[in-house]
Amino acid sequence: MVGDEDQSIYGFRAAFPQALLDFRGTWPEAEIHRLQTNYRSGKEIVEAASRVIVHNRNRYEKNMVAARTEAGACRAVAVRRREDQYDEIIRLIGESDEKTAILYRDNSSALPLILRLERAGIPYELRGQDAGFFVIFSVKKPPAKPVE
């Protein structure tokens, strides 16, 4: 069995972290190997994530370390609602002169961002996605009278 009980955010995809937590009770002779090296993110991001994850109550003890040594920036921004989060992202992009990447978990998270980018006139591209249907729906108006 392979998994990460700290990934309980994937419950919407039927993730069941309790199965991992119950594993030792079901299979007492099995060995547990902790995969604690993150190969994707830099040190600052891994450390910031670890400071949040360590507060999970039901988890195996892990000490995550980053394999990548390059520097990165990580800043926490508190927002009350999901809409505020999207607005904050657009505000930050507007303040920056740099090319910016937005990472999102699923397409339903991307759609509100695309709408805000369109409204703000901020050019964007989606890697591996086609948002053309969204752009059409965001600019077309229904006809005044039904066509017969």
Side-chain angles (χ1 to χ4, degrees):
M1 177 180 247
V2 176
D4 183 354
E5 76 284 358
D6 286 323
Q7 296 289 329
S8 61
I9 59 171
Y10 290 108
F12 69 95
R13 290 190 174 173
F16 184 60
Q18 193 61 43
L20 295 166
L21 296 169
D22 293 343
F23 183 77
R24 178 159 280 163
T26 305
W27 303 95
E29 302 299 318
E31 291 184 40
I32 295 179
H33 298 273
R34 289 168 179 79
L35 306 176
Q36 302 179 100
T37 303
N38 181 304
Y39 295 94
R40 196 178 322 175
S41 301
K43 180 181 177 190
E44 290 83 359
I45 292 173
V46 172
E47 288 175 355
S50 292
R51 286 192 299 272
V52 172
I53 292 170
V54 75
H55 296 287
N56 290 350
R57 291 186 187 124
N58 297 319
R59 66 188 299 268
Y60 290 106
E61 183 67 31
K62 290 189 277 307
N63 296 304
M64 298 302 297
V65 295
R68 296 176 118 179
T69 57
E70 68 268 8
C74 185
R75 178 174 51 140
V77 178
V79 294
R80 291 180 171 254
R81 301 172 312 142
R82 183 176 292 211
E83 292 77 19
D84 297 337
Q85 172 183 289
Y86 299 133
D87 293 338
E88 180 68 10
I89 291 169
I90 298 303
R91 185 187 70 72
L92 291 169
I93 290 170
E95 290 178 355
S96 176
D97 293 331
E98 307 256 341
K99 187 171 185 178
T100 304
I102 302 170
L103 306 178
Y104 54 88
R105 199 161 293 286
D106 56 24
N107 288 339
S108 66
S109 299
L111 295 177
L113 284 168
I114 293 169
L115 176 62
R116 284 165 174 79
L117 290 166
E118 291 282 333
R119 287 181 180 163
I122 298 172
Y124 66 92
E125 60 185 57
L126 293 174
R127 181 189 250 182
Q129 298 290 324
D130 178 12
F133 74 94
F134 187 81
V135 174
I136 292 169
F137 277 74
S138 69
V139 297
K140 290 206 172 200
K141 295 181 181 179
K145 295 181 183 178
V147 178
E148 295 185 34

